[in-house]
Amino acid sequence: MANTKLPGREQILKRMWKLANAGAVDAVRLACFPEEEWGSLENLDLDALTEFKRGANGVIELKFADRGRLLERLLDAADHSGEEQVDRFLSAMEGKGE
């Protein structure tokens, strides 16, 4: 069994922030690609995509991470972290930090 280190609080918050801001453009592009072009998928940003279904009848279903819930959890984390720490975190997430 591999010794896998669990992510810390800040890493989890960064991941939540990324998911809350992820776009859906590449997921829609994925749904429109014919199967023979699926070899180029590694360049797509599919972080927000949680489920992809293509039915036999051609119907496509895409499900995404719940942004509202992620933002609620980030706000809750902010309430428990202190305002100064949250401001530093958000600045870092926006690329304004150190």
Side-chain angles (χ1 to χ4, degrees):
M1 183 181 273
N3 185 9
T4 305
K5 183 178 177 186
L6 293 175
R9 177 180 167 79
E10 189 167 323
Q11 289 174 314
I12 292 169
L13 290 174
K14 284 180 183 180
R15 179 73 175 139
M16 289 171 65
W17 179 261
K18 183 178 178 183
L19 285 172
N21 289 290
V25 174
D26 283 344
V28 172
R29 191 175 298 150
L30 171 68
C32 296
F33 281 162
E35 283 189 51
E36 56 271 5
E37 292 184 29
W38 285 13
S40 62
L41 296 179
E42 53 275 347
N43 296 328
L44 299 179
D45 179 10
L46 302 173
D47 285 340
L49 186 64
T50 60
E51 192 172 326
F52 178 90
K53 291 183 184 177
R54 183 183 302 259
N57 60 355
V59 173
I60 296 170
E61 181 180 347
L62 302 173
K63 291 186 181 180
F64 298 92
D66 185 343
R67 292 177 192 217
R69 188 165 193 180
L70 285 166
L71 292 172
E72 284 177 9
R73 291 189 178 219
L74 284 168
L75 181 60
D76 185 49
D79 288 345
H80 293 94
S81 297
E83 230 174 277
E84 182 180 317
Q85 191 175 15
V86 172
D87 288 341
R88 283 186 306 193
F89 171 75
L90 294 175
S91 292
M93 293 289 78
E94 292 171 353
K96 299 176 185 172
E98 300 169 357

